[in-house]
PDB file of all heavy atoms in Angstrom:
ATOM      1  N   SER P 120     102.798  88.849 103.461  1.00 98.00           N
ATOM      2  CA  SER P 120     101.660  88.412 104.220  1.00 98.00           C
ATOM      3  C   SER P 120     102.024  87.474 105.378  1.00 98.00           C
ATOM      4  O   SER P 120     103.101  86.960 105.453  1.00 98.00           O
ATOM      5  CB  SER P 120     100.644  87.604 103.237  1.00 98.00           C
ATOM      6  OG  SER P 120     101.357  86.550 102.629  1.00 98.00           O
ATOM      7  N   TRP P 122     101.049  84.364 108.543  1.00 96.00           N
ATOM      8  CA  TRP P 122     100.723  82.931 108.441  1.00 96.00           C
ATOM      9  C   TRP P 122      99.351  82.524 108.893  1.00 96.00           C
ATOM     10  O   TRP P 122      98.875  81.401 108.747  1.00 96.00           O
ATOM     11  CB  TRP P 122     101.751  82.141 109.293  1.00 96.00           C
ATOM     12  CG  TRP P 122     101.867  82.672 110.718  1.00 96.00           C
ATOM     13  CD1 TRP P 122     102.920  83.542 111.036  1.00 96.00           C
ATOM     14  CD2 TRP P 122     101.135  82.430 111.780  1.00 96.00           C
ATOM     15  NE1 TRP P 122     102.760  83.901 112.404  1.00 96.00           N
ATOM     16  CE2 TRP P 122     101.571  83.214 112.817  1.00 96.00           C
ATOM     17  CE3 TRP P 122      99.981  81.695 112.051  1.00 96.00           C
ATOM     18  CZ2 TRP P 122     101.055  83.183 114.156  1.00 96.00           C
ATOM     19  CZ3 TRP P 122      99.448  81.677 113.349  1.00 96.00           C
ATOM     20  CH2 TRP P 122      99.932  82.412 114.360  1.00 96.00           C
ATOM     21  N   ASN P 123      98.622  83.432 109.611  1.00 95.00           N
ATOM     22  CA  ASN P 123      97.413  82.948 110.402  1.00 95.00           C
ATOM     23  C   ASN P 123      96.259  82.694 109.451  1.00 95.00           C
ATOM     24  O   ASN P 123      95.444  81.791 109.732  1.00 95.00           O
ATOM     25  CB  ASN P 123      97.036  83.939 111.494  1.00 95.00           C
ATOM     26  CG  ASN P 123      96.765  85.309 111.029  1.00 95.00           C
ATOM     27  OD1 ASN P 123      97.247  85.817 110.048  1.00 95.00           O
ATOM     28  ND2 ASN P 123      95.828  86.029 111.742  1.00 95.00           N
ATOM     29  N   LEU P 128      94.937  86.187 103.458  1.00 98.00           N
ATOM     30  CA  LEU P 128      95.650  87.513 103.631  1.00 98.00           C
ATOM     31  C   LEU P 128      96.673  87.606 102.506  1.00 98.00           C
ATOM     32  O   LEU P 128      97.399  88.698 102.524  1.00 98.00           O
ATOM     33  CB  LEU P 128      96.247  87.509 105.029  1.00 98.00           C
ATOM     34  CG  LEU P 128      95.224  87.539 106.134  1.00 98.00           C
ATOM     35  CD1 LEU P 128      95.819  87.382 107.494  1.00 98.00           C
ATOM     36  CD2 LEU P 128      94.283  88.710 106.088  1.00 98.00           C
ATOM     37  N   LYS P 146     105.280  88.018  98.917  1.00 98.00           N
ATOM     38  CA  LYS P 146     106.247  87.275  99.831  1.00 98.00           C
ATOM     39  C   LYS P 146     105.340  86.738 100.989  1.00 98.00           C
ATOM     40  O   LYS P 146     105.058  87.424 101.883  1.00 98.00           O
ATOM     41  CB  LYS P 146     107.343  88.205 100.337  1.00 98.00           C
ATOM     42  CG  LYS P 146     108.595  87.582 100.881  1.00 98.00           C
ATOM     43  CD  LYS P 146     108.616  86.410 101.795  1.00 98.00           C
ATOM     44  CE  LYS P 146     108.798  86.787 103.202  1.00 98.00           C
ATOM     45  NZ  LYS P 146     108.312  85.738 104.093  1.00 98.00           N
ATOM     46  N   GLU P 149     106.924  82.265 105.969  1.00 96.00           N
ATOM     47  CA  GLU P 149     107.721  80.997 106.005  1.00 96.00           C
ATOM     48  C   GLU P 149     107.196  80.081 106.950  1.00 96.00           C
ATOM     49  O   GLU P 149     107.477  78.884 106.948  1.00 96.00           O
ATOM     50  CB  GLU P 149     109.116  81.349 106.217  1.00 96.00           C
ATOM     51  CG  GLU P 149     109.384  81.908 107.604  1.00 96.00           C
ATOM     52  CD  GLU P 149     109.199  83.468 107.665  1.00 96.00           C
ATOM     53  OE1 GLU P 149     108.469  84.032 106.781  1.00 96.00           O
ATOM     54  OE2 GLU P 149     109.789  84.044 108.704  1.00 96.00           O
ATOM     55  N   SER P 181     112.418  88.822 102.616  1.00 97.00           N
ATOM     56  CA  SER P 181     111.654  90.113 102.815  1.00 97.00           C
ATOM     57  C   SER P 181     112.626  91.287 102.694  1.00 97.00           C
ATOM     58  O   SER P 181     112.295  92.288 102.048  1.00 97.00           O
ATOM     59  CB  SER P 181     111.043  90.201 104.185  1.00 97.00           C
ATOM     60  OG  SER P 181     109.834  89.644 104.239  1.00 97.00           O
ATOM     61  N   GLY P 196     100.980  92.010 109.097  1.00 97.00           N
ATOM     62  CA  GLY P 196     101.852  91.417 110.085  1.00 97.00           C
ATOM     63  C   GLY P 196     101.831  92.167 111.410  1.00 97.00           C
ATOM     64  O   GLY P 196     100.946  93.006 111.664  1.00 97.00           O
ATOM     65  N   SER P 197     102.948  92.008 112.168  1.00 96.00           N
ATOM     66  CA  SER P 197     103.050  92.621 113.488  1.00 96.00           C
ATOM     67  C   SER P 197     103.419  94.071 113.457  1.00 96.00           C
ATOM     68  O   SER P 197     104.099  94.498 112.438  1.00 96.00           O
ATOM     69  CB  SER P 197     104.084  91.835 114.308  1.00 96.00           C
ATOM     70  OG  SER P 197     105.299  91.838 113.710  1.00 96.00           O
ATOM     71  N   GLU P 218      98.673  96.569 107.485  1.00 98.00           N
ATOM     72  CA  GLU P 218      97.616  95.932 108.243  1.00 98.00           C
ATOM     73  C   GLU P 218      98.239  95.177 109.424  1.00 98.00           C
ATOM     74  O   GLU P 218      98.788  94.140 109.290  1.00 98.00           O
ATOM     75  CB  GLU P 218      96.852  94.879 107.354  1.00 98.00           C
ATOM     76  CG  GLU P 218      96.145  95.475 106.141  1.00 98.00           C
ATOM     77  CD  GLU P 218      94.878  96.149 106.571  1.00 98.00           C
ATOM     78  OE1 GLU P 218      94.477  96.096 107.726  1.00 98.00           O
ATOM     79  OE2 GLU P 218      94.225  96.858 105.706  1.00 98.00           O
ATOM     80  N   LEU P 219      98.139  95.789 110.594  1.00 98.00           N
ATOM     81  CA  LEU P 219      98.942  95.302 111.746  1.00 98.00           C
ATOM     82  C   LEU P 219      97.942  94.701 112.736  1.00 98.00           C
ATOM     83  O   LEU P 219      96.790  94.442 112.520  1.00 98.00           O
ATOM     84  CB  LEU P 219      99.783  96.475 112.310  1.00 98.00           C
ATOM     85  CG  LEU P 219     100.597  97.174 111.304  1.00 98.00           C
ATOM     86  CD1 LEU P 219     101.302  98.362 111.919  1.00 98.00           C
ATOM     87  CD2 LEU P 219     101.582  96.292 110.573  1.00 98.00           C
ATOM     88  N   GLY P 220      98.599  94.490 114.006  1.00 92.00           N
ATOM     89  CA  GLY P 220      97.716  93.788 115.010  1.00 92.00           C
ATOM     90  C   GLY P 220      97.694  94.682 116.310  1.00 92.00           C
ATOM     91  O   GLY P 220      97.607  95.845 116.246  1.00 92.00           O
ATOM     92  N   CYS P 252      93.987  88.427 113.874  1.00 96.00           N
ATOM     93  CA  CYS P 252      94.316  89.815 114.226  1.00 96.00           C
ATOM     94  C   CYS P 252      93.206  90.549 114.821  1.00 96.00           C
ATOM     95  O   CYS P 252      93.374  91.447 115.715  1.00 96.00           O
ATOM     96  CB  CYS P 252      94.728  90.547 112.997  1.00 96.00           C
ATOM     97  SG  CYS P 252      93.569  90.558 111.652  1.00 96.00           S
ATOM     98  N   GLU P 347     100.319  91.643 122.591  1.00 97.00           N
ATOM     99  CA  GLU P 347      99.258  90.975 121.875  1.00 97.00           C
ATOM    100  C   GLU P 347      99.287  89.504 122.062  1.00 97.00           C
ATOM    101  O   GLU P 347     100.461  88.900 122.019  1.00 97.00           O
ATOM    102  CB  GLU P 347      99.463  91.260 120.376  1.00 97.00           C
ATOM    103  CG  GLU P 347      98.369  90.611 119.525  1.00 97.00           C
ATOM    104  CD  GLU P 347      98.603  90.849 118.012  1.00 97.00           C
ATOM    105  OE1 GLU P 347      99.615  91.448 117.572  1.00 97.00           O
ATOM    106  OE2 GLU P 347      97.664  90.535 117.291  1.00 97.00           O
TER     107      GLU P 347
HETATM  108  P1  NAD I   1     105.253  89.064 111.313  1.00 82.29           P
HETATM  109  O1  NAD I   1     105.228  90.507 111.305  1.00 82.29           O
HETATM  110  O2  NAD I   1     106.181  88.322 112.174  1.00 82.29           O
HETATM  111  O3  NAD I   1     105.517  88.526 109.850  1.00 82.29           O
HETATM  112  C1  NAD I   1     104.680  88.939 108.682  1.00 82.29           C
HETATM  113  C2  NAD I   1     105.564  88.784 107.426  1.00 82.29           C
HETATM  114  O4  NAD I   1     106.683  89.589 107.523  1.00 82.29           O
HETATM  115  C3  NAD I   1     106.136  87.412 107.122  1.00 82.29           C
HETATM  116  O5  NAD I   1     105.925  87.183 105.715  1.00 82.29           O
HETATM  117  C4  NAD I   1     107.572  87.486 107.542  1.00 82.29           C
HETATM  118  O6  NAD I   1     108.378  86.599 106.703  1.00 82.29           O
HETATM  119  C5  NAD I   1     107.953  88.839 107.290  1.00 82.29           C
HETATM  120  N1  NAD I   1     108.900  89.335 108.279  1.00 82.29           N
HETATM  121  C6  NAD I   1     109.006  88.894 109.614  1.00 82.29           C
HETATM  122  N2  NAD I   1     110.010  89.530 110.232  1.00 82.29           N
HETATM  123  C7  NAD I   1     110.517  90.321 109.288  1.00 82.29           C
HETATM  124  C8  NAD I   1     111.591  91.356 109.297  1.00 82.29           C
HETATM  125  N3  NAD I   1     112.411  91.509 110.390  1.00 82.29           N
HETATM  126  N4  NAD I   1     111.925  92.021 108.196  1.00 82.29           N
HETATM  127  C9  NAD I   1     111.135  91.866 107.075  1.00 82.29           C
HETATM  128  N5  NAD I   1     110.174  90.978 106.989  1.00 82.29           N
HETATM  129  C10 NAD I   1     109.864  90.235 108.058  1.00 82.29           C
HETATM  130  O7  NAD I   1     103.692  88.598 111.599  1.00 82.29           O
HETATM  131  P2  NAD I   1     103.157  87.152 111.792  1.00 82.29           P
HETATM  132  O8  NAD I   1     103.652  86.507 112.936  1.00 82.29           O
HETATM  133  O9  NAD I   1     103.283  86.362 110.498  1.00 82.29           O
HETATM  134  O10 NAD I   1     101.522  87.493 111.978  1.00 82.29           O
HETATM  135  C11 NAD I   1     101.024  87.832 113.262  1.00 82.29           C
HETATM  136  C12 NAD I   1     100.892  89.392 113.282  1.00 82.29           C
HETATM  137  O11 NAD I   1     100.166  89.866 112.144  1.00 82.29           O
HETATM  138  C13 NAD I   1     100.001  89.734 114.486  1.00 82.29           C
HETATM  139  O12 NAD I   1     100.489  90.961 115.037  1.00 82.29           O
HETATM  140  C14 NAD I   1      98.709  89.964 113.938  1.00 82.29           C
HETATM  141  O13 NAD I   1      97.799  90.816 114.685  1.00 82.29           O
HETATM  142  C15 NAD I   1      99.012  90.582 112.586  1.00 82.29           C
HETATM  143  N6  NAD I   1      97.997  90.403 111.579  1.00 82.29           N
HETATM  144  C16 NAD I   1      97.273  91.474 111.201  1.00 82.29           C
HETATM  145  C17 NAD I   1      96.216  91.357 110.229  1.00 82.29           C
HETATM  146  C18 NAD I   1      95.447  92.510 109.706  1.00 82.29           C
HETATM  147  O14 NAD I   1      94.720  92.385 108.763  1.00 82.29           O
HETATM  148  N7  NAD I   1      95.512  93.688 110.365  1.00 82.29           N
HETATM  149  C19 NAD I   1      95.947  90.078 109.741  1.00 82.29           C
HETATM  150  C20 NAD I   1      96.652  88.968 110.256  1.00 82.29           C
HETATM  151  C21 NAD I   1      97.664  89.175 111.152  1.00 82.29           C
END
Side-chain angles (χ1 to χ4, degrees):
S120 56
W122 50 265
N123 60 329
L128 297 175
K146 204 313 260 161
E149 63 280 17
S181 269
S197 58
E218 294 286 353
L219 310 177
C252 57
E347 178 181 9

